[in-house]
Amino acid sequence: MEPHPTKRVELYLPMRTVRIVAAAILILAAFAVIGESFLIVFVGIFLALVFEFPVRFVIAKTGWSRGLAATVTVLGTALTVTVLALLLLVPMVGSVRDFLQQLPMTVEGLRTSDELSWLGDTGIGGNAQSGANSASASVPDAISAVLGVAGDFFTLFLTAFTVLFICLFLLSDVTNLKRSLASVLMPGEDERWLGVWERVTESVSRWAIGVIVIATIAGITQGLTAWLLGSSFAVALGVIAGLLDTIPNIGATMASFILVPALWAEEGLTAAVIMLVVILVYQQVENNVLTPKIQGKAVNLSGFFIIVAVTLFGALLGVLGALTAVPLAATIQIFVQELTKARRDKVAAAAAALGPE
């Protein structure tokens, strides 16, 4: 039996491709090594994009220099957030802690209610009770431990300080950075890519400001509804609703799976139905009135790509990735649209030349 003849396959790769692949591998390796530091820098840059339009607004209204406007806007916001945290954070976190610690009793109340008594001995009821017990046992009693600052205040302060000043220095120096970028681009290309920078900045800034405003409205609306219905955990439920509302598309649905059962266990079926109606009505108002008015077309992504982005960036960067998935995906979309613009123009011209069929 004769051996099979061997074939020689030669693969030719341009040096540019080799360099790009090698650079990508090195960048990924560097990210793996400096993971936490990269995350801090990422948050600082992201906040700078968020603050870009507020800084421009301050400059337009006051005539201040960019450095002064950036300093007043960023540090003023940081000071305001700190004051609000000192006044409101401890009571809000305490309310959420109490709600989670009472979760086993809440689930038990649902299992023994007339409407859901059939769940008592089923696998669903047992699993829900077991999960509630585990969640309750994992919640610390001390507020400082819940906040994660017990014995770790210096690290928290240093991280916040670093993020804040990365944001501030980038905002102050963005004009010089744009000038440096334009200096290495061919005539015509500078306007193109600086235009892309403007689109990315507007998308991120409007999205972030809109999310904060809309999540605050959602938290207040649903927390106030819970309070009017007699819930003793109204503050906690409002905080949960506001936080979950920052997750696009599915956040409000996730909130309903917490708020409605909580009201059912505490105040009965009627209160739960009222809360469900309020959530459904509010969601329609948010989707059709608040989001278009506040965010406009800051991001123009389909629901499918939003869910994919939340899943992928959440797996990559954790909670931060899930929260920033939409503007990151919108940024990628802007760059892809710009890079494929010439190709799409050629396709459109070819289709126009063929005429209607």
Side-chain angles (χ1 to χ4, degrees):
M1 183 176 180
E2 296 182 0
H4 293 288
T6 58
K7 293 183 179 180
R8 180 179 179 181
V9 178
E10 295 185 359
L11 180 63
Y12 295 94
L13 292 176
M15 283 304 299
R16 180 182 179 184
T17 302
V18 174
R19 287 195 295 266
I20 292 174
V21 172
I25 293 174
L26 289 174
I27 291 172
L28 291 176
F31 285 167
V33 173
I34 60 171
E36 291 187 5
S37 299
F38 166 71
L39 195 59
I40 292 173
V41 173
F42 168 79
V43 173
I45 294 174
F46 182 81
L47 286 179
L49 294 175
V50 171
F51 275 106
E52 176 64 21
F53 272 75
V55 167
R56 293 183 186 181
F57 177 81
V58 172
I59 293 173
K61 291 298 182 180
T62 63
W64 291 345
S65 66
R66 184 175 185 86
L68 178 59
T71 301
V72 171
T73 303
V74 174
L75 296 185
T77 302
L79 181 61
T80 302
V81 170
T82 301
V83 172
L84 290 176
L86 292 174
L87 295 175
L88 303 176
L89 187 60
V90 169
M92 288 192 301
V93 171
S95 181
V96 174
R97 177 203 60 188
D98 295 341
F99 172 73
L100 293 176
Q101 290 180 338
Q102 293 292 322
L103 200 56
M105 296 179 62
T106 301
V107 174
E108 180 64 26
L110 285 174
R111 293 176 64 191
T112 57
S113 65
D114 295 336
E115 299 85 2
L116 295 177
S117 58
W118 57 273
L119 281 176
D121 297 325
T122 64
I124 297 175
N127 291 336
Q129 189 69 58
S130 176
N133 292 338
S134 298
S136 176
S138 65
V139 178
D141 290 328
I143 298 272
S144 58
V146 177
L147 291 172
V149 298
D152 205 23
F153 177 79
F154 180 75
T155 301
L156 179 67
F157 172 79
L158 185 60
T159 301
F161 182 86
T162 304
V163 168
L164 195 65
F165 277 86
I166 288 174
C167 169
L168 181 58
F169 288 137
L170 179 56
L171 282 170
S172 301
D173 208 35
V174 70
T175 303
N176 293 330
L177 292 176
K178 287 182 178 181
R179 190 180 301 117
S180 299
L181 175 62
S183 68
V184 298
L185 296 173
M186 297 295 291
E189 288 292 301
D190 55 347
E191 295 182 3
R192 175 190 179 189
W193 290 109
L194 289 178
V196 170
W197 174 281
E198 288 297 313
R199 289 166 61 191
V200 169
T201 301
E202 180 180 4
S203 177
V204 173
S205 188
R206 290 187 63 177
W207 173 86
I209 294 171
V211 162
I212 293 171
V213 173
I214 293 171
T216 302
I217 295 173
I220 292 174
T221 300
Q222 294 169 46
L224 183 61
T225 301
W227 177 72
L228 292 174
L229 291 173
S231 174
S232 58
F233 300 112
V235 174
L237 296 177
V239 171
I240 291 171
L243 290 176
L244 290 177
D245 200 71
T246 61
I247 302 175
N249 286 18
I250 59 174
T253 303
M254 293 169 62
S256 67
F257 281 107
I258 297 175
L259 271 65
V260 173
L263 264 295
W264 193 341
E266 194 175 7
E267 299 297 329
L269 181 59
T270 302
V273 171
I274 294 174
M275 174 58 76
L276 179 61
V277 171
V278 169
I279 292 175
L280 293 176
V281 171
Y282 171 79
Q283 189 61 36
Q284 294 303 311
V285 173
E286 179 180 305
N287 291 340
N288 298 297
V289 179
L290 296 178
T291 300
K293 289 290 185 182
I294 296 174
Q295 288 187 317
K297 294 184 178 180
V299 294
N300 188 19
L301 294 170
S302 70
F304 169 75
F305 284 111
I306 288 177
I307 296 299
V308 170
V310 170
T311 302
L312 294 180
F313 286 111
L316 182 64
L317 298 174
V319 176
L320 179 63
L323 294 178
T324 59
V326 173
L328 289 174
T331 299
I332 293 172
Q333 178 179 260
I334 289 171
F335 276 96
V336 170
Q337 288 175 344
E338 187 62 34
L339 291 171
T340 59
K341 182 178 180 181
R343 173 69 178 176
R344 287 184 285 108
D345 289 343
K346 288 182 180 180
V347 172
L354 292 176
E357 296 183 358

